[in-house]
Amino acid sequence: DAGITQSPRHKVTETGTPVTLRCHQTENHRYMYWYRQDPGHGLRLIHYSYGVKDTDKGEVSDGYSVSRSKTEDFLLTLESATSSQTSVYFCAISEGLAEQFFGPGTRLTVL
Amino acid sequence: AQSVTQLGSHVSVSEGALVLLRCNYSSSVPPYLFWYVQYPNQGLQLLLKYTSAATLVKGINGFEAEFKKSETSFHLTKPSAHMSDAAEYFCAVSGIGANSKLTFGKGITLSVRP
């Protein structure tokens, strides 16, 4: 398995609080991605990174921000969590022209 | 623009029966196509991929898929279902450029009856 870890794996928080999810890779892949998975929607891209400090928006980026200060770490921040952001969040990595490898996911519940 | 259509949300087959999961895509450029599998409470695992080489692609666990450009399809098949195949299956499409992104279908849940 590709070396991808996500932390925390589970989190329960309250509406209006900030939340940061971490993705860490040991593969030295250039590209990193954050997705959310919701029933009936499949996986939807939130943000992605194509290098250190190089990031761009995906299709559902509103309410989320990201940062990548090192090759191995990609952080997803919910500045003020809302109940609509209750979801399972997946990080993925790739070398750009090949398939993406996925982390184990973080289940986030916003009460 | 690109998109993936996976008709239906649930397929049920008997153990030993043929598995057929349908995927149709739309892409303005030559596509790369992928099938991923997700077991309960796990991340996605790549089953197989089409990257413009052979149109019949073989993957892990006995699965295969055929790229049909004329039908814009990439259906997933397995001759004989096992109980362990019960999972959710996602079809995805991307372009072939370095910054191309994956677009996923909504997924199909496969159940296998004993």
Side-chain angles (χ1 to χ4, degrees):
Chain A
D1 291 342
I4 311 170
T5 56
Q6 294 184 230
S7 59
R9 293 294 313 280
H10 302 271
K11 186 170 182 66
V12 179
T13 191
E14 293 188 350
T15 298
T17 60
V19 176
T20 295
L21 308 183
R22 179 179 182 240
C23 177
H24 178 78
Q25 63 149 326
T26 58
E27 305 296 322
N28 202 36
H29 281 5
R30 177 183 175 189
Y31 294 83
M32 298 185 75
Y33 309 82
W34 277 108
Y35 293 89
R36 60 177 290 172
Q37 182 179 23
D38 304 288
H41 291 276
L43 275 79
R44 293 179 291 175
L45 182 64
I46 304 172
H47 282 280
Y48 68 102
S49 170
Y50 46 95
V52 173
K53 298 186 179 179
D54 291 324
T55 65
D56 205 350
K57 296 179 179 180
E59 65 176 298
V60 290
S61 59
D62 288 348
Y64 302 94
S65 62
V66 291
S67 66
R68 191 173 179 195
S69 59
K70 298 184 291 184
T71 298
E72 58 267 33
D73 289 326
F74 193 33
L75 303 180
L76 176 70
T77 297
L78 291 66
E79 300 292 347
S80 177
T82 68
S83 59
S84 64
Q85 293 175 312
T86 292
S87 186
V88 181
Y89 292 86
F90 287 99
C91 174
I93 64 174
S94 83
E95 276 299 303
L97 294 179
E99 66 269 22
Q100 294 181 16
F101 301 95
F102 284 80
T106 294
R107 185 174 296 274
L108 176 67
T109 302
V110 183
L111 301 176
Chain B
Q2 57 193 30
S3 65
V4 170
T5 301
Q6 295 183 252
L7 290 179
S9 60
H10 184 244
V11 170
S12 180
V13 301
S14 297
E15 192 172 20
L18 171 71
V19 175
L20 170 60
L21 303 180
R22 299 179 187 275
C23 173
N24 289 90
Y25 71 92
S26 173
S27 177
S28 57
V29 297
Y32 285 173
L33 293 158
F34 306 84
W35 275 100
Y36 284 85
V37 61
Q38 184 181 33
Y39 299 103
N41 299 314
Q42 295 186 25
L44 278 70
Q45 178 184 359
L46 182 71
L47 269 180
L48 48 79
K49 62 182 178 181
Y50 166 77
T51 56
S52 74
T55 57
L56 182 62
V57 180
K58 295 186 182 299
I60 62 172
N61 301 337
F63 285 92
E64 63 181 36
E66 186 173 9
F67 172 68
K68 292 187 177 180
K69 183 178 179 180
S70 61
E71 300 177 6
T72 61
S73 68
F74 191 57
H75 302 331
L76 182 71
T77 62
K78 181 174 181 178
S80 177
H82 294 165
M83 297 296 291
S84 60
D85 294 327
E88 190 162 18
Y89 292 80
F90 293 93
C91 182
V93 62
S94 79
I96 61 175
N99 283 349
S100 294
K101 298 178 289 293
L102 278 178
T103 298
F104 286 86
K106 295 183 178 182
I108 297 176
T109 299
L110 175 66
S111 299
V112 182
R113 305 184 300 272

